[in-house]
Amino acid sequence: MNAESAHIEALRALAASPAARGLADDAAVLDFGGDALVLTLDTVVEGVHFLPDDPPGDVAWKLVAVNVSDLAAKGADPVGCLYSHALGEDLWDTAFLAGLAEACAHFAIPLLGGDTVRMPKNAPRSFSLTALGRGPKGRPAPARGDAQPGDRLWVSGTIGDAGLGLAILTGARTAATGCAQVLARRYRRPEPSPALGRALAPLVNAMMDVSDGLLVDAARMARASDCAIGIAADAVPLSAEAREFTGDTLKSRLAAMTAGDDYCLLFSAPADRSERIREVAANLGRSLYAIGSVSAGQGVTLLHFGDPVPLPKRLGYEH
Amino acid sequence: MNAESAHIEALRALAASPAARGLADDAAVLDFGGDALVLTLDTVVEGVHFLPDDPPGDVAWKLVAVNVSDLAAKGADPVGCLYSHALGEDLWDTAFLAGLAEACAHFAIPLLGGDTVRMPKNAPRSFSLTALGRGPKGRPAPARGDAQPGDRLWVSGTIGDAGLGLAILTGARTAATGCAQVLARRYRRPEPSPALGRALAPLVNAMMDVSDGLLVDAARMARASDCAIGIAADAVPLSAEAREFTGDTLKSRLAAMTAGDDYCLLFSAPADRSERIREVAANLGRSLYAIGSVSAGQGVTLLHFGDPVPLPKRLGYEH
């Protein structure tokens, strides 16, 4: 166990309220005035979660989007947000605010308050945002720990684009201009869909967002649900840009499944709901992809066109 | 207007929801499921809000306390909190968590969730906390902008202790050991009282917490209420330790009134409620101090034993 894991274990002991969901879910869910209040707080730090030369408007967008993604995963409608801003240079901050306004409007999540703090000289920028949402009525907000044997496993978007975008932006890889722009945008401007999360909530058993890598997040769902999850690597959706850039090999698929920053939904649902699930998505103009299944057992197993594939050593961003 | 003020003005334009209270109050207040949800988010940064050698448990206590102080000022009961932790050295983080557990228990504000982030090397520590509370039932949570001419002005604790504690801790001043300990503790372990805030809420017109300095915070109440506030410098309560340390002069009183970090309540209420207000406080074992009055007009004026005193140039921590 590394120091971060040990720290999180100690936090879990402290967060004994059922609303905290053992700190093992995307958000806290509590009853407030008879409604389900869904709350999440995420922080982004320069040099860790975003690049020093990322456009400030994109940093703001991502700050809002990663929190909205947590709400979407709990089937919650955005209600509002509060954020804490570390003051830097005027021009940067002004562009950041423009991006914040754009993202708040796009995700229909009004800014309700927050804090503005001065930072010591040369400190990295950091921003925290709390998003609150209203969860499903009359049923619990979906948890990541309720997958059942027999469920089908789905994702709501292509996997690995953001990771390629990051590799391009850091200069680790180069791509043709068109591809590079699309993939970089997937890294900088994730597009979670609370409308999709809300529509899926009554149909799923378990739901979470993919933020740290498909394999590590699926492993978390398996652990929280005390089930085994099997994923067909060949069924994992790759974008046209990713295929053009890296080709379509098992290696490129494994890279995509461990890259992180996808901010789409990962959910499991009884197989006999598949048709309704596809309808719900089609009504919203969204695509869904069945990528595997849940069974009795533990852990994640991987197949590629039916052949077992050993799991890579690193499943994603671990913390 | 400095850059921080300009930034806050731009944020205000963005925070158009009535729940945001124009970003001019201690917290956001919104209707959720028929109850008043009160939300605040405060960040503390090493080298800005706390000292690098402050005991980590005290940093955690203060992080919780400054947010609870905002809830108290809106007459809200603590419901829970989420916080974002910047990982540092193990021992420091472990001591921080112990202080967090102590503060959450003391203020009856369970930890519901949050985020843990790695920081770049040598970055200052920073922590954000979102506190949520349940506001008064059947009446709006008190705002800082509802003071009325004829109101009496009150504070709920001694003023200036924390500022002296900070001066002692930074070595700017030296004091006898007993005094120094008490005053340093006032800086490091503020003790807001949500129970007092809740009990006062039905009786006050305007309420806020004193965080940036009594004079600057009173000026904010005057501006938000479009009233004038007169303060009797001689009526402002000083602790026995502060008197022993600095004596009791107009100069020491002006220093106390501009020091900040008091985290007590500042409120105005009709004069004919004074007896009930004193009763409410006595029932909770707390002391209240009438320090001035509200009248038609604008701004803050200061008297010392009846003689007008010019306002100091710096009224407190401005942002």
Side-chain angles (χ1 to χ4, degrees):
Chain A
M1 196 187 289
N2 64 22
E4 187 169 350
S5 301
H7 181 80
I8 291 172
E9 281 310 310
L11 275 176
R12 283 208 173 107
L14 179 52
S17 157
R21 295 190 162 196
L23 303 187
D25 211 330
D26 307 86
V29 182
L30 63 155
D31 180 89
F32 195 96
D35 276 5
L37 173 60
V38 179
L39 277 164
T40 179
L41 166 63
D42 276 317
T43 296
V44 298
V45 180
E46 182 181 26
V48 180
H49 305 92
F50 64 92
L51 305 169
D53 58 356
D54 273 341
D58 289 350
V59 176
W61 178 285
K62 195 161 180 176
L63 176 67
V64 176
V66 301
N67 280 284
V68 166
S69 182
D70 288 328
L71 296 183
K74 301 303 104 186
D77 272 328
V79 167
C81 63
L82 292 85
Y83 98 105
S84 170
H85 186 100
L87 283 170
E89 311 98 72
D90 292 0
L91 281 178
W92 202 96
D93 287 344
T94 301
F96 181 94
L97 273 193
L100 188 78
E102 193 186 350
C104 287
H106 177 84
F107 294 112
I109 187 163
L111 179 68
L112 301 181
D115 195 14
T116 302
V117 295
R118 294 201 187 100
M119 297 295 286
K121 224 173 147 67
N122 299 324
R125 296 179 180 97
S126 71
F127 305 93
S128 292
L129 188 137
T130 289
L132 58 151
R134 187 173 277 110
K137 287 208 187 271
R139 70 181 72 243
R144 63 172 65 173
D146 287 334
Q148 302 292 331
D151 279 0
R152 191 162 286 178
L153 189 74
W154 305 75
V155 290
S156 70
T158 56
I159 298 294
D161 297 330
L164 294 175
L166 175 61
I168 291 165
L169 288 169
T170 55
R173 306 185 66 156
T174 50
T177 316
C179 257
Q181 280 179 346
V182 170
L183 296 169
R185 189 175 170 90
R186 290 295 305 272
Y187 174 70
R188 287 173 163 166
R189 296 235 167 190
E191 296 245 12
S193 171
L196 182 62
R198 185 180 59 224
L200 290 171
L203 300 170
V204 306
N205 279 331
M207 189 154 65
M208 64 188 294
D209 75 336
V210 183
S211 56
D212 290 339
L214 176 61
L215 291 183
V216 73
D217 286 324
R220 287 172 186 150
M221 181 181 280
R223 188 164 59 240
S225 303
D226 197 19
C227 284
I229 286 180
I231 294 178
D234 50 283
V236 170
L238 302 186
S239 68
E241 290 77 12
R243 285 168 201 263
E244 184 187 330
F245 182 30
T246 64
D248 184 351
T249 64
L250 177 58
K251 189 178 161 210
S252 68
R253 286 180 169 270
L254 288 172
M257 288 187 277
T258 53
D261 272 323
D262 298 300
Y263 299 107
C264 63
L265 297 172
L266 172 69
F267 61 96
S268 84
D272 61 10
R273 289 185 192 159
S274 300
E275 204 175 327
R276 282 173 64 199
I277 284 171
R278 289 200 192 278
E279 275 173 26
V280 152
N283 288 341
L284 292 167
R286 310 281 302 207
S287 301
L288 295 179
Y289 311 89
I291 61 164
S293 58
V294 180
S295 57
Q298 290 195 318
V300 169
T301 52
L302 210 51
L303 297 174
H304 192 230
F305 295 111
D307 292 332
V309 175
L311 281 183
K313 229 176 178 169
R314 185 187 159 280
L315 299 183
Y317 180 80
E318 300 265 11
H319 61 101
Chain B
M1 194 187 288
N2 64 21
E4 188 168 352
S5 302
H7 182 81
I8 290 171
E9 281 309 310
L11 276 175
R12 282 204 175 115
L14 179 52
S17 157
R21 295 191 163 196
L23 303 187
D25 210 331
D26 307 86
V29 182
L30 63 155
D31 179 89
F32 196 94
D35 276 5
L37 173 60
V38 179
L39 277 164
T40 179
L41 166 62
D42 276 316
T43 296
V44 298
V45 180
E46 182 182 26
V48 180
H49 305 93
F50 63 93
L51 304 170
D53 58 354
D54 274 341
D58 289 350
V59 177
W61 178 284
K62 194 161 181 176
L63 177 66
V64 177
V66 301
N67 280 283
V68 166
S69 181
D70 288 328
L71 296 183
K74 302 301 104 187
D77 272 328
V79 167
C81 63
L82 292 85
Y83 98 105
S84 170
H85 185 100
L87 283 169
E89 310 97 71
D90 292 1
L91 282 178
W92 200 95
D93 287 343
T94 302
F96 181 94
L97 274 193
L100 189 77
E102 190 187 352
C104 286
H106 177 84
F107 293 113
I109 187 163
L111 180 67
L112 301 181
D115 195 15
T116 302
V117 295
R118 294 202 186 98
M119 297 296 285
K121 223 175 147 71
N122 300 323
R125 295 180 180 97
S126 69
F127 306 92
S128 291
L129 189 136
T130 289
L132 56 151
R134 188 172 274 107
K137 285 204 187 277
R139 72 179 73 243
R144 62 171 67 171
D146 288 335
Q148 302 292 332
D151 279 1
R152 190 163 287 180
L153 189 74
W154 305 74
V155 289
S156 70
T158 56
I159 297 294
D161 297 330
L164 293 175
L166 176 61
I168 292 164
L169 289 168
T170 55
R173 306 185 66 153
T174 50
T177 316
C179 256
Q181 281 179 346
V182 169
L183 296 170
R185 189 175 170 88
R186 290 294 307 270
Y187 173 71
R188 287 173 163 167
R189 295 235 166 190
E191 297 245 12
S193 172
L196 183 62
R198 185 180 60 226
L200 289 171
L203 299 170
V204 306
N205 278 334
M207 189 153 67
M208 64 188 292
D209 76 336
V210 183
S211 56
D212 290 338
L214 177 61
L215 290 183
V216 73
D217 286 324
R220 288 173 186 148
M221 181 180 280
R223 189 165 56 239
S225 303
D226 197 19
C227 286
I229 286 180
I231 294 177
D234 50 286
V236 169
L238 301 187
S239 69
E241 290 78 11
R243 285 168 200 265
E244 182 186 330
F245 182 30
T246 64
D248 184 351
T249 63
L250 178 58
K251 190 179 161 208
S252 69
R253 286 180 167 269
L254 288 173
M257 287 187 274
T258 54
D261 273 322
D262 298 300
Y263 298 107
C264 63
L265 298 171
L266 173 69
F267 62 96
S268 84
D272 60 11
R273 290 186 190 157
S274 300
E275 203 175 328
R276 283 173 65 200
I277 285 172
R278 290 200 191 278
E279 274 171 27
V280 151
N283 288 342
L284 292 167
R286 310 281 301 208
S287 300
L288 295 179
Y289 311 88
I291 61 164
S293 58
V294 181
S295 58
Q298 290 194 318
V300 169
T301 52
L302 209 50
L303 296 175
H304 192 231
F305 296 112
D307 291 331
V309 175
L311 281 183
K313 229 175 178 170
R314 185 187 159 282
L315 299 183
Y317 180 80
E318 299 266 10
H319 60 99

